[in-house]
Amino acid sequence: MAERIIPLVDQRLKALQPTIPARAVSPTGLLGDGLGRPLRDLRISVTDRCNFRCNYCMPKEVFNADYPYLPHSALLSFEEITRLAHLFVGHGVKKLRLTGGEPLLRKNLEILVAQLAQLRTPEGAPLDLTLTTNGALLARKAQALKDAGLNRVTVSLDGLDDAVFRRMNDVDFPVAEVLEGIDAARAVGLGVDGQGRPSGIKINMVVKRTTNVDQILPMARHFRGTGMTLRFIEYMDVGSTNGWRMDDVLPSADVIRLLQTEFPLVPLEPSAPGETAERWGYANAQGVHDPALGEVGVISSVTQAFCQDCNRARLSTEGKLYLCLFATQGYDLRELLRNGTADTDLSSAIAHIWQGRQDRYSELRGQGLLDTASDGAGRKVEMSYIGG
Ligand code: SAM
Ligand code: SF4
Ligand code: SF4
């Protein structure tokens, strides 16, 4: 049998070993990293597989039939994920986001949702439990997810024109089925926050200059006044396979300028510290934000770094903890989970990792201090592996 070649892009074999500190770090919910940033948001990747091949994320040429996806035994089980999530909550996490790959491809995902929905903060509050999906399987799964305790979904949708959408997902998937998924999610009430307050479904659109700029206005027309928030994401230099070029990035400021040719917009205050999106409200004839028309968001990860408030940690499909979307290595928590480490030690190890965190990739790139193809230490991990 021919030897299997692991492509250069595969960073999964490299891992940092967590240290269990000599003195236990109590879960006070007040943990700060090396730059004083709290830990509030845990993104959990439940699969590295996807039924789409968006070329900015999983280009077909790399993610083909020969790609070495993780075997099932490598994946964290639902029990392992819930155990870790519980420990992260003790250190201050208030929001859990399930992602991937395509999270709805993970079998029986609603069982994991039900387990995570039982978790409470040290103050006894439920968590904000959300999921990011491409929407292809949402119509089928929305009710079960809602019944299991999921609060909200974010649906990624890069255009309304069927031809553009089929080209972007690169598997010829029709846009109508994603729109059905969004309708189903709304119908079952997947648009509330952890406290049960209305907090609309979010729609994420990655803007690539050469591909879908002509979809910006149609998308805004479609979602304005629906209670759903459309957010435009700058195409990022995440991973090492998408052939990213600055020329393909349409800066958020240009997106806002384009929207304002048709809709008056006014800037809104951030709704939470560490929020990634800059908010703009649709204004009425008096130039005042009209909540009935809703809002749009722009996520400017390339042109405007927001590292100083970054309170997000990412758990990969196989249990590695990543401190930044642009990290080259993660800390192997699965090894601790599977070698009999006690919860107090595991919890202290997580705290110790966070306390040492200095990551601020976008800020450094913005200051011209990084090579954008690599940070110098190695190749960046793929978005489909650690989740968005
Ligand atoms: N498959 C799910 C989906 O598409 O929503 C969840 C995983 S996907 C990696 C999470 C988010 O990352 C999506 O909203 C996607 O559009 C975004 N994303 C992926 N690659 C990106 C890139 N190069 N630049 C900006 N956003 C990207
Ligand atoms: Fe799949 Fe989401 Fe990546 Fe598109 S962005 S390839 S849907 S994981
Ligand atoms: Fe957070 Fe890293 Fe993104 Fe900065 S570059 S906002 S540290 S994930």
Side-chain angles (χ1 to χ4, degrees):
M1 203 174 90
E3 201 180 335
R4 184 154 212 197
I5 296 167
I6 308 281
L8 254 183
V9 295
D10 197 335
Q11 293 303 296
R12 300 168 305 183
L13 301 176
K14 294 204 286 179
L16 298 161
Q17 295 313 312
T19 312
I20 299 171
R23 288 184 60 189
V25 188
S26 309
T28 57
L30 299 171
L31 193 66
D33 74 2
L35 302 175
R37 298 169 293 187
L39 173 56
R40 293 283 177 264
D41 183 333
L42 179 65
R43 301 184 174 198
I44 304 169
S45 174
V46 292
T47 176
D48 60 341
R49 292 162 197 257
C50 188
N51 45 358
F52 283 11
R53 286 292 177 274
C54 310
N55 66 9
Y56 53 71
C57 178
M58 294 181 77
K60 242 180 186 163
E61 310 72 55
V62 176
F63 294 88
N64 55 25
D66 294 329
Y67 186 80
Y69 292 101
L70 295 169
H72 195 262
S73 59
L75 272 50
L76 291 190
S77 69
F78 292 166
E79 286 66 31
E80 288 171 330
I81 292 174
T82 306
R83 181 177 168 207
L84 282 179
H86 168 72
L87 299 177
F88 275 89
V89 168
H91 288 304
V93 162
K94 298 195 185 311
K95 181 169 161 187
L96 298 175
R97 175 176 295 281
L98 299 178
T99 177
E102 174 45 42
L104 298 187
L105 289 182
R106 180 82 186 250
K107 230 170 140 194
N108 301 323
L109 188 70
E110 56 283 1
I111 295 177
L112 174 63
V113 170
Q115 290 177 8
L116 296 175
Q118 301 298 316
L119 298 177
R120 294 290 176 270
T121 67
E123 301 78 40
L127 301 172
D128 190 8
L129 186 53
T130 75
L131 173 139
T132 303
T133 173
N134 61 26
L137 298 170
L138 194 52
R140 249 176 282 167
K141 305 230 168 170
Q143 187 67 60
L145 292 167
K146 176 69 187 175
D147 293 346
L150 189 71
N151 300 133
R152 285 185 295 127
V153 286
T154 296
V155 181
S156 305
L157 178 62
D158 296 331
L160 281 180
D161 179 89
D162 195 48
V164 172
F165 185 69
R166 283 176 193 257
R167 208 165 43 244
M168 287 195 80
N169 63 56
D170 214 9
V171 293
D172 210 27
F173 195 86
V175 73
E177 288 189 35
V178 177
L179 295 174
E180 276 170 33
I182 294 171
D183 286 347
R186 288 184 87 190
V188 303
L190 276 173
V192 289
D193 68 9
Q195 269 67 50
R197 294 176 299 225
S199 161
I201 290 169
K202 293 193 175 92
I203 310 293
N204 277 356
M205 170 175 172
V206 174
V207 180
K208 223 178 146 182
R209 196 190 280 274
T210 43
T211 318
N212 63 342
V213 171
D214 63 346
Q215 297 300 297
I216 293 174
L217 285 171
M219 287 280 284
R221 285 178 209 126
H222 186 85
F223 288 106
R224 182 169 169 264
T226 60
M228 294 185 267
T229 301
L230 174 60
R231 305 184 317 166
F232 299 95
I233 305 179
E234 286 177 351
Y235 169 43
M236 285 187 281
D237 52 329
V238 68
S240 310
T241 57
N242 61 12
W244 183 89
R245 296 177 321 139
M246 187 65 200
D247 287 355
D248 285 331
V249 179
L250 184 74
S252 293
D254 291 1
V255 173
I256 294 296
R257 253 192 300 279
L258 177 62
L259 290 170
Q260 284 182 318
T261 59
E262 192 166 323
F263 309 108
L265 292 171
V266 287
L268 302 176
E269 291 294 320
S271 56
E275 189 174 52
T276 48
E278 179 185 297
R279 301 168 61 212
W280 290 79
Y282 288 112
N284 60 19
Q286 287 72 48
V288 177
H289 175 222
D290 180 350
L293 294 175
E295 58 184 83
V296 287
V298 284
I299 301 182
S300 319
S301 351
V302 178
T303 60
Q304 232 182 342
F306 37 76
C307 301
Q308 65 186 34
D309 293 323
C310 181
N311 53 22
R312 294 177 292 282
R314 293 177 161 86
L315 185 61
S316 81
T317 316
E318 54 176 347
K320 296 206 174 82
L321 175 61
Y322 286 85
L323 303 178
C324 176
L325 192 49
F326 299 92
T328 53
Q329 279 181 295
Y331 293 83
D332 187 3
L333 297 184
R334 190 186 63 191
E335 172 62 20
L336 296 185
L337 281 170
R338 295 187 180 173
N339 73 4
T341 302
D343 272 4
T344 41
D345 285 344
L346 191 46
S347 168
S348 291
I350 292 167
H352 188 67
I353 294 168
W354 189 259
Q355 286 170 328
R357 178 181 186 244
Q358 298 277 348
D359 301 63
R360 49 189 192 104
Y361 176 93
S362 291
E363 224 170 76
L364 296 177
R365 176 194 45 205
Q367 293 164 11
L369 296 174
L370 288 179
D371 164 7
T372 49
S374 151
D375 72 355
R379 293 169 74 87
K380 291 172 293 185
V381 73
E382 294 301 317
M383 186 95 152
S384 52
Y385 169 66
I386 54 168

